[in-house]
Amino acid sequence: MAYRFPALSQKSKTNGATYTVYTYLTPILHDVLAVPDRYISLVFLLYGVVSVFSTFIGGKIAANNGIGKLRFMFLVQAVILASLYVSSRSLAGALVSISLITLLVYVMNSTMQLYFIDLADKHVPSARDLASSLTPVSVNVGIALGSALGGFVTTSKQLIDVSWTGGLVAVAAAVLTWISYRLDHKTQHSYQQKVILFGRSD
């Protein structure tokens, strides 16, 4: 049962990391980057276009040991989120950071959903349907936590500080992914040893 908490938490944290920033993207664009109101919708259109490619890339990664790659992708996400703090000095640089933030959050979704289902198949096959429903639940939890964290930051620090705060949440997600990865390998190794011992007992 120990594998469930890290697996669920890492999904909520990756969304929490992104939504720490995304929830306050409009005031960031307006107050920090000085984007005129009439152009803000164009930035969100860019966000939507990038998300299409993000979903496609996510499917490719999920099919090729996605959980092993996630450990490093969360660290990349942390760097990109924190980069907005620096790139916000330039509108072009900030737009690049925002596009990369979008690209990574959807890249991870397919991998995490397949990971939940695989865990259910290995440990509790009867809960496969439940595992499928855990992804939207963890997404909503992450959005709520990220929004709340961003709200705390914006009231106690400067608005742009949500960027590096989201980066710290992504680092926490990387740690939880590493724990899940180690637990999976430990479980698999134990299973292989049992198979070998069983074979020898014959």
Side-chain angles (χ1 to χ4, degrees), residues 64-78:
N64 296 280
N65 188 28
I67 189 61
K69 297 180 177 68
L70 277 185
R71 296 171 297 166
F72 308 104
M73 291 175 62
F74 283 130
L75 294 177
V76 173
Q77 182 190 31

PDB file of all heavy atoms in Angstrom, residues 64-78:
ATOM      1  N   ASN A  64       7.130   4.754 -23.542  1.00  0.00           N
ATOM      2  CA  ASN A  64       8.537   4.348 -23.469  1.00  0.00           C
ATOM      3  C   ASN A  64       9.114   4.640 -22.089  1.00  0.00           C
ATOM      4  O   ASN A  64       9.889   5.574 -21.901  1.00  0.00           O
ATOM      5  CB  ASN A  64       9.364   5.082 -24.537  1.00  0.00           C
ATOM      6  CG  ASN A  64       8.957   4.715 -25.939  1.00  0.00           C
ATOM      7  OD1 ASN A  64       9.331   3.680 -26.475  1.00  0.00           O
ATOM      8  ND2 ASN A  64       8.148   5.581 -26.566  1.00  0.00           N
ATOM      9  N   ASN A  65       8.707   3.830 -21.106  1.00  0.00           N
ATOM     10  CA  ASN A  65       9.206   3.964 -19.734  1.00  0.00           C
ATOM     11  C   ASN A  65       9.055   5.393 -19.220  1.00  0.00           C
ATOM     12  O   ASN A  65      10.001   6.012 -18.746  1.00  0.00           O
ATOM     13  CB  ASN A  65      10.685   3.539 -19.646  1.00  0.00           C
ATOM     14  CG  ASN A  65      11.176   3.471 -18.203  1.00  0.00           C
ATOM     15  OD1 ASN A  65      10.402   3.236 -17.277  1.00  0.00           O
ATOM     16  ND2 ASN A  65      12.465   3.683 -18.016  1.00  0.00           N
ATOM     17  N   GLY A  66       7.833   5.910 -19.324  1.00  0.00           N
ATOM     18  CA  GLY A  66       7.580   7.287 -18.937  1.00  0.00           C
ATOM     19  C   GLY A  66       7.890   7.578 -17.486  1.00  0.00           C
ATOM     20  O   GLY A  66       8.412   8.641 -17.157  1.00  0.00           O
ATOM     21  N   ILE A  67       7.578   6.647 -16.578  1.00  0.00           N
ATOM     22  CA  ILE A  67       7.796   6.905 -15.161  1.00  0.00           C
ATOM     23  C   ILE A  67       9.275   7.078 -14.845  1.00  0.00           C
ATOM     24  O   ILE A  67       9.654   7.849 -13.968  1.00  0.00           O
ATOM     25  CB  ILE A  67       7.178   5.778 -14.291  1.00  0.00           C
ATOM     26  CG1 ILE A  67       7.213   6.168 -12.813  1.00  0.00           C
ATOM     27  CG2 ILE A  67       7.876   4.450 -14.546  1.00  0.00           C
ATOM     28  CD1 ILE A  67       6.423   7.409 -12.486  1.00  0.00           C
ATOM     29  N   GLY A  68      10.133   6.377 -15.586  1.00  0.00           N
ATOM     30  CA  GLY A  68      11.568   6.547 -15.373  1.00  0.00           C
ATOM     31  C   GLY A  68      12.041   7.928 -15.784  1.00  0.00           C
ATOM     32  O   GLY A  68      12.930   8.512 -15.162  1.00  0.00           O
ATOM     33  N   LYS A  69      11.410   8.476 -16.822  1.00  0.00           N
ATOM     34  CA  LYS A  69      11.781   9.811 -17.305  1.00  0.00           C
ATOM     35  C   LYS A  69      11.198  10.916 -16.446  1.00  0.00           C
ATOM     36  O   LYS A  69      11.741  12.028 -16.396  1.00  0.00           O
ATOM     37  CB  LYS A  69      11.321   9.979 -18.752  1.00  0.00           C
ATOM     38  CG  LYS A  69      11.971   9.022 -19.743  1.00  0.00           C
ATOM     39  CD  LYS A  69      11.453   9.279 -21.141  1.00  0.00           C
ATOM     40  CE  LYS A  69      12.138   8.371 -22.171  1.00  0.00           C
ATOM     41  NZ  LYS A  69      11.761   6.967 -22.003  1.00  0.00           N
ATOM     42  N   LEU A  70      10.097  10.640 -15.772  1.00  0.00           N
ATOM     43  CA  LEU A  70       9.430  11.677 -14.993  1.00  0.00           C
ATOM     44  C   LEU A  70      10.317  12.261 -13.908  1.00  0.00           C
ATOM     45  O   LEU A  70      10.198  13.433 -13.574  1.00  0.00           O
ATOM     46  CB  LEU A  70       8.157  11.125 -14.353  1.00  0.00           C
ATOM     47  CG  LEU A  70       6.897  11.087 -15.223  1.00  0.00           C
ATOM     48  CD1 LEU A  70       5.710  10.630 -14.391  1.00  0.00           C
ATOM     49  CD2 LEU A  70       6.611  12.439 -15.835  1.00  0.00           C
ATOM     50  N   ARG A  71      11.183  11.427 -13.335  1.00  0.00           N
ATOM     51  CA  ARG A  71      12.070  11.923 -12.274  1.00  0.00           C
ATOM     52  C   ARG A  71      12.848  13.139 -12.741  1.00  0.00           C
ATOM     53  O   ARG A  71      13.043  14.115 -11.995  1.00  0.00           O
ATOM     54  CB  ARG A  71      13.048  10.827 -11.857  1.00  0.00           C
ATOM     55  CG  ARG A  71      12.414   9.609 -11.243  1.00  0.00           C
ATOM     56  CD  ARG A  71      13.436   8.511 -11.069  1.00  0.00           C
ATOM     57  NE  ARG A  71      13.977   8.052 -12.343  1.00  0.00           N
ATOM     58  CZ  ARG A  71      15.060   7.302 -12.470  1.00  0.00           C
ATOM     59  NH1 ARG A  71      15.752   6.951 -11.398  1.00  0.00           N
ATOM     60  NH2 ARG A  71      15.469   6.900 -13.653  1.00  0.00           N
ATOM     61  N   PHE A  72      13.269  13.111 -13.989  1.00  0.00           N
ATOM     62  CA  PHE A  72      14.073  14.204 -14.533  1.00  0.00           C
ATOM     63  C   PHE A  72      13.195  15.310 -15.122  1.00  0.00           C
ATOM     64  O   PHE A  72      13.556  16.480 -15.093  1.00  0.00           O
ATOM     65  CB  PHE A  72      15.020  13.651 -15.599  1.00  0.00           C
ATOM     66  CG  PHE A  72      15.821  12.478 -15.114  1.00  0.00           C
ATOM     67  CD1 PHE A  72      15.519  11.191 -15.502  1.00  0.00           C
ATOM     68  CD2 PHE A  72      16.880  12.666 -14.232  1.00  0.00           C
ATOM     69  CE1 PHE A  72      16.248  10.108 -15.046  1.00  0.00           C
ATOM     70  CE2 PHE A  72      17.619  11.591 -13.762  1.00  0.00           C
ATOM     71  CZ  PHE A  72      17.303  10.305 -14.169  1.00  0.00           C
ATOM     72  N   MET A  73      12.032  14.932 -15.627  1.00  0.00           N
ATOM     73  CA  MET A  73      11.139  15.928 -16.203  1.00  0.00           C
ATOM     74  C   MET A  73      10.611  16.891 -15.153  1.00  0.00           C
ATOM     75  O   MET A  73      10.410  18.073 -15.420  1.00  0.00           O
ATOM     76  CB  MET A  73       9.990  15.239 -16.941  1.00  0.00           C
ATOM     77  CG  MET A  73      10.430  14.520 -18.206  1.00  0.00           C
ATOM     78  SD  MET A  73       9.085  13.591 -18.980  1.00  0.00           S
ATOM     79  CE  MET A  73       7.962  14.930 -19.366  1.00  0.00           C
ATOM     80  N   PHE A  74      10.379  16.381 -13.934  1.00  0.00           N
ATOM     81  CA  PHE A  74       9.930  17.264 -12.861  1.00  0.00           C
ATOM     82  C   PHE A  74      11.014  18.279 -12.506  1.00  0.00           C
ATOM     83  O   PHE A  74      10.719  19.425 -12.180  1.00  0.00           O
ATOM     84  CB  PHE A  74       9.541  16.457 -11.624  1.00  0.00           C
ATOM     85  CG  PHE A  74       8.197  15.795 -11.739  1.00  0.00           C
ATOM     86  CD1 PHE A  74       8.043  14.455 -11.461  1.00  0.00           C
ATOM     87  CD2 PHE A  74       7.081  16.506 -12.132  1.00  0.00           C
ATOM     88  CE1 PHE A  74       6.810  13.829 -11.563  1.00  0.00           C
ATOM     89  CE2 PHE A  74       5.840  15.900 -12.241  1.00  0.00           C
ATOM     90  CZ  PHE A  74       5.707  14.558 -11.957  1.00  0.00           C
ATOM     91  N   LEU A  75      12.253  17.850 -12.560  1.00  0.00           N
ATOM     92  CA  LEU A  75      13.352  18.783 -12.300  1.00  0.00           C
ATOM     93  C   LEU A  75      13.448  19.825 -13.401  1.00  0.00           C
ATOM     94  O   LEU A  75      13.711  21.008 -13.142  1.00  0.00           O
ATOM     95  CB  LEU A  75      14.677  18.019 -12.170  1.00  0.00           C
ATOM     96  CG  LEU A  75      14.786  17.084 -10.960  1.00  0.00           C
ATOM     97  CD1 LEU A  75      16.108  16.336 -10.984  1.00  0.00           C
ATOM     98  CD2 LEU A  75      14.653  17.871  -9.659  1.00  0.00           C
ATOM     99  N   VAL A  76      13.224  19.395 -14.638  1.00  0.00           N
ATOM    100  CA  VAL A  76      13.194  20.343 -15.756  1.00  0.00           C
ATOM    101  C   VAL A  76      12.046  21.326 -15.571  1.00  0.00           C
ATOM    102  O   VAL A  76      12.182  22.535 -15.802  1.00  0.00           O
ATOM    103  CB  VAL A  76      13.060  19.598 -17.101  1.00  0.00           C
ATOM    104  CG1 VAL A  76      12.850  20.584 -18.248  1.00  0.00           C
ATOM    105  CG2 VAL A  76      14.291  18.741 -17.365  1.00  0.00           C
ATOM    106  N   GLN A  77      10.892  20.790 -15.139  1.00  0.00           N
ATOM    107  CA  GLN A  77       9.745  21.654 -14.878  1.00  0.00           C
ATOM    108  C   GLN A  77      10.086  22.699 -13.816  1.00  0.00           C
ATOM    109  O   GLN A  77       9.707  23.872 -13.938  1.00  0.00           O
ATOM    110  CB  GLN A  77       8.548  20.823 -14.422  1.00  0.00           C
ATOM    111  CG  GLN A  77       7.291  21.662 -14.188  1.00  0.00           C
ATOM    112  CD  GLN A  77       6.181  20.878 -13.507  1.00  0.00           C
ATOM    113  OE1 GLN A  77       6.449  19.978 -12.728  1.00  0.00           O
ATOM    114  NE2 GLN A  77       4.944  21.217 -13.815  1.00  0.00           N
ATOM    115  N   ALA A  78      10.788  22.275 -12.786  1.00  0.00           N
ATOM    116  CA  ALA A  78      11.167  23.200 -11.716  1.00  0.00           C
ATOM    117  C   ALA A  78      12.037  24.337 -12.257  1.00  0.00           C
ATOM    118  O   ALA A  78      11.838  25.512 -11.922  1.00  0.00           O
ATOM    119  CB  ALA A  78      11.918  22.442 -10.612  1.00  0.00           C
TER     120      ALA A  78
END
